[in-house]
């Protein structure tokens, strides 16, 4: 019970810190404000995080500990889903939003080793390697290079969407990015089956939530899972 309580407190602190970093940036954020928003003691914060730098690193790393994209038989669909889920959650999840700000901010970039960027490159490269093993990639595609370039393109889309629309069009723009880039990555037979519509991220998030609810037990969550799965199937022909 003590361990569970400690984990809940740590998560509470990270969520509070994310909101502070997202609003104030690294330099403007203070431990005092994190303490206030989390509703914990300063000692509790320092029990889990030795410094503001460690707290920022924790926020960056926490995004990789959250529920991911369901495993797919088609790894390029999993690749697309990863980007579309991030696009859907970025305006809604302070941990993702703060992670992006901390990763791209010049005041903190070097201090936390590139922030989330290396982690996203690695995750996307892993998916591309798996896609290559399944024969889903065009012959010229080098997974490491493609992962680097698509992550860089995603970063640019996120920054531009933030500047021009406050991320209101992020899902639309991310969908457009994949629709432009995937013809140079996927073999024709796979390309035609990829779901890349702007609402793809929302569909996958609903699918994950339904599966999680079903695992917690009860018939009603199972029914929600079926409904979410049906929604995903109905979206197969879009994008």
């Amino acid at each position: 019970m003590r361990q569970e309580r400690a984990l809940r407190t740590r998560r509470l602190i990270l969520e509070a810190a994310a909101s502070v970093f997202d609003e104030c940036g690294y330099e403007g954020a203070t431990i005092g404000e994190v303490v206030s928003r989390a509703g914990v003691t300063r000692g509790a914060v320092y029990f889990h995080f030795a410094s503001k730098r460690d707290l920022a690193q924790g926020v960056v790393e926490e995004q990789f500990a959250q529920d991911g994209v369901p495993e797919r038989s088609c790894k390029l669909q999993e690749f697309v889903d990863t980007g579309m889920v991030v696009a859907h959650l970025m305006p809604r999840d302070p941990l993702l939003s703060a992670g992006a700000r901390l990763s791209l901010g010049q005041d903190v970039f070097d201090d936390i080793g590139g922030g989330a960027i290396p982690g996203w490159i690695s995750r996307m490269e892993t998916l591309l390697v798996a896609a290559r093993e399944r024969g889903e990639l065009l012959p010229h595609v080098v997974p490491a290079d493609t992962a680097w370039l698509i992550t860089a393109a995603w970063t640019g889309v996120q920054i531009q969407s933030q500047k021009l629309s406050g991320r209101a069009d992020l899902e639309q723009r991310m969908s457009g990015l994949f629709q432009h880039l995937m013809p140079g990555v996927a073999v024709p037979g796979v390309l035609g089956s990829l779901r890349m519509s702007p609402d793809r991220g929302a569909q996958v998030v609903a699918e994950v939530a339904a599966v999680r609810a079903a695992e917690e037990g009860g018939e009603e969550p199972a029914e929600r899972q079926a409904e979410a799965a049906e929604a995903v199937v109905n979206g197969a022909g879009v994008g």
Side-chain angles (χ1 to χ4, degrees):
M1 290 182 64
R2 284 196 298 269
Q3 184 178 13
E4 290 178 1
R5 188 160 53 246
L7 290 173
R8 287 196 299 269
T9 300
R10 185 180 188 276
R11 174 71 183 193
L12 185 66
I13 292 168
L14 284 173
E15 290 175 348
S19 68
V20 175
F21 284 129
D22 199 29
E23 293 174 20
C24 307
Y26 182 76
E27 289 298 328
T30 66
I31 295 294
E33 183 61 24
V34 174
V35 167
S36 176
R37 296 196 189 190
V40 299
T41 65
R42 188 176 290 266
V45 173
Y46 282 116
F47 175 81
H48 291 280
F49 304 97
S51 65
K52 185 168 77 168
R53 179 195 180 281
D54 285 348
L55 193 51
Q57 187 70 50
V59 168
V60 167
E61 292 173 354
E62 185 66 13
Q63 62 189 283
F64 296 107
Q66 301 186 75
D67 288 338
V69 169
E71 185 173 352
R72 311 290 188 192
S73 58
C74 176
K75 289 302 172 181
L76 282 184
Q77 183 64 64
E78 197 173 332
F79 180 87
V80 171
D81 286 353
T82 298
M84 293 307 302
V85 165
V86 172
H88 176 71
L89 293 178
M90 184 71 74
R92 300 168 173 84
D93 185 344
L95 279 164
L96 276 174
S97 185
R101 179 163 184 171
L102 289 169
S103 299
L104 301 175
Q106 294 302 311
D107 56 347
V108 69
F109 186 90
D110 293 334
D111 197 34
I112 59 174
I117 295 173
W120 285 117
I121 293 174
S122 176
R123 177 171 291 188
M124 300 307 255
E125 181 181 352
T126 297
L127 289 172
L128 288 171
V129 168
R132 181 180 61 188
E133 292 171 353
R134 287 164 170 75
E136 298 173 10
L137 303 185
L138 292 169
H140 69 273
V141 175
V142 178
D145 293 345
T146 301
W148 195 100
L149 289 169
I150 289 184
T151 303
W154 150 244
T155 300
V157 167
Q158 193 275 131
I159 292 173
Q160 194 148 303
S161 176
Q162 170 67 33
K163 294 291 186 182
L164 298 180
S165 74
R167 296 189 181 130
D169 65 349
L170 184 54
E171 292 174 90
Q172 175 189 348
R173 299 302 182 184
M174 193 60 176
S175 171
L177 176 68
F178 278 123
Q179 292 185 46
H180 277 79
L181 296 184
M182 295 311 289
V185 174
V187 297
V190 171
L191 180 63
S193 70
L194 292 179
R195 304 168 190 173
M196 299 181 284
S197 62
D199 63 348
R200 178 62 183 172
Q203 293 174 355
V204 176
V205 168
E207 177 187 358
V208 171
V211 171
R212 188 190 311 118
E215 289 173 349
E216 293 173 355
E219 295 182 0
E220 184 178 352
E223 291 173 359
R224 288 199 297 268
Q225 179 184 5
E227 291 172 358
E230 183 180 358
V232 172
V233 171
N234 289 340
V238 183

